[in-house]
């Protein structure tokens, strides 16, 4: 069921994506004209390539700065200590010295990754992420755990504001509200460390994972000022220029399905940087695991057809983690998978992931 991914070297993009950069200050203050403009820009971006950046987003700069430095001590630990919380094949959380290495063993190493515990929007505790750092990473990372707890809370609040703008952009606030759909959802945070890559040929063919669309609903990326994120649009690759204080927002497959294909899942890739270490954080937002993701009825009527079958996030997540891989056409293969009989589905489960 897996699609093949070429390991050929791909030339880096040399044109900047004008994604756009959206100032949320007016929207957050209730300014109607600013809200209309923000919605217009977001809709244009999400119906073309699925990515935009936001500034004046209401997230405390001190929290963002603290996340950038908080995990350097962990990634500088001896490998034996890091491997003590190694990510298992069938789990999202844990450390990996090759992100997704269990499914991309042919690719070269150029990043390390640590996943925090899932952060539930209506969780039973207000210290879920902090507890993970304390209990799993270690007592010497308690302070870091609270930094990331605050980071996750801030990202949750921002995501609800983004969902509000996305709903307005679909022009049916009275019949469907993205905020309500995701209010009992959850997120998981991935922290990536990219050490200096002396071999400049380690671009797309050697990245991990290869060019892909996120299977999740919405991603908020804190990339700092050292990044090489590239987006595919209009049949070519563009680089995303880091903006001071900005956060990158991109649409994922699940939100594309929910909007019946109106909002486009962002096809992107990450390229190795040759001369600097860097850390970035990706906050992936999902509906509640057992909630049905079904294209919105009004959009089906508006578009004239239902483009995606109904599914639950827990099934899509299982598909991407245990049966298939995340790449450029994951959602299409998942739709074909859903159409199979239960017997045929189980025949496709590779022993490698059981």
């Amino acid at each position: 069921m897996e699609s093949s991914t070429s390991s050929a070297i791909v030339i880096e993009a040399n044109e900047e994506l004008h994604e756009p950069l959206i100032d949320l200050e007016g929207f957050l203050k209730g300014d109607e004209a600013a809200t209309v403009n923000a919605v217009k820009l977001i809709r244009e971006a999400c119906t073309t390539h699925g990515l935009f950046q936001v500034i004046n987003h209401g997230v405390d700069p001190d929290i963002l700065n603290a996340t950038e430095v908080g995990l350097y001590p962990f990634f500088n630990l001896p490998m034996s200590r890091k491997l003590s919380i190694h990510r298992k094949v069938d789990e999202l959380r844990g450390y990996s010295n090759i992100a997704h290495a269990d499914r991309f063993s042919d690719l070269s190493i150029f990043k390390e990754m640590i996943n925090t515990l899932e952060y539930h929007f209506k969780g039973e505790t207000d210290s879920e992420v902090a507890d993970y750092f304390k209990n799993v990473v270690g007592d010497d990372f308690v302070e870091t755990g609270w930094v990331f707890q605050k980071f996750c809370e801030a990202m949750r609040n921002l995501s609800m504001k983004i969902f509000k703008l996305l709903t307005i952009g679909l022009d049916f606030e009275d019949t469907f509200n993205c905020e309500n759909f995701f209010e009992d959802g959850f997120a998981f945070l991935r922290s990536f460390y990219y050490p200096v890559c002396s071999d400049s040929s380690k671009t797309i063919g050697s990245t991990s994972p290869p060019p892909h669309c996120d299977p999740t609903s919405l991603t908020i990326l804190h990339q700092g000022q050292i990044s090489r994120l590239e987006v595919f649009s209009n049949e070519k690759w563009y680089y995303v220029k880091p903006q001071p204080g900005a956060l990158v927002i991109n649409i994922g497959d699940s939100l594309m399905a929910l909007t019946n294909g109106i909002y486009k899942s962002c096809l992107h890739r990450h390229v190795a940087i040759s001369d600097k270490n860097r850390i970035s954080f990706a906050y992936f937002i999902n509906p509640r695991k057992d909630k049905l993701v079904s294209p919105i009825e009004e959009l089906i009527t508006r578009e004239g057809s239902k483009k995606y079958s109904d599914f639950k996030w827990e099934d899509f997540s299982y598909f991407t983690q245990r049966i298939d891989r995340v790449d450029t056409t994951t959602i299409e293969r998942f739709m074909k998978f859903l159409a199979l009989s239960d017997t045929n589905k189980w025949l496709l489960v590779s022993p490698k992931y059981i």
Side-chain angles (χ1 to χ4, degrees), residues 10-19 44-52 204 210-214 228-240 250-251 256 264-271 327-329:
V10 177
I11 298 173
E12 297 178 22
N14 55 21
E15 290 185 44
E16 180 183 349
L17 179 74
H18 299 289
E19 55 272 7
E44 289 175 353
C46 292
T47 55
T48 53
H49 48 67
L51 180 141
F52 55 96
I204 306 312
H212 66 283
C213 297
D214 295 336
R228 192 60 182 187
L229 171 65
E230 298 185 354
V231 170
F232 193 74
S233 180
N234 297 319
E235 301 303 317
K236 63 186 301 184
W237 289 99
Y238 297 85
Y239 69 87
V240 178
N250 73 261
I251 304 297
M256 180 170 67
K264 309 301 182 185
S265 189
C266 177
L267 175 55
H268 58 284
R269 66 191 189 186
H270 299 270
V271 183
D327 62 15
T328 61
T329 59

Side-chain angles (χ1 to χ4, degrees), residues 338-354:
L338 291 177
L340 297 173
S341 67
D342 288 341
T343 300
N344 287 335
K345 286 177 185 176
W346 284 110
L347 290 175
L348 287 170
V349 178
S350 168
K352 181 178 179 181
Y353 302 123
I354 297 179

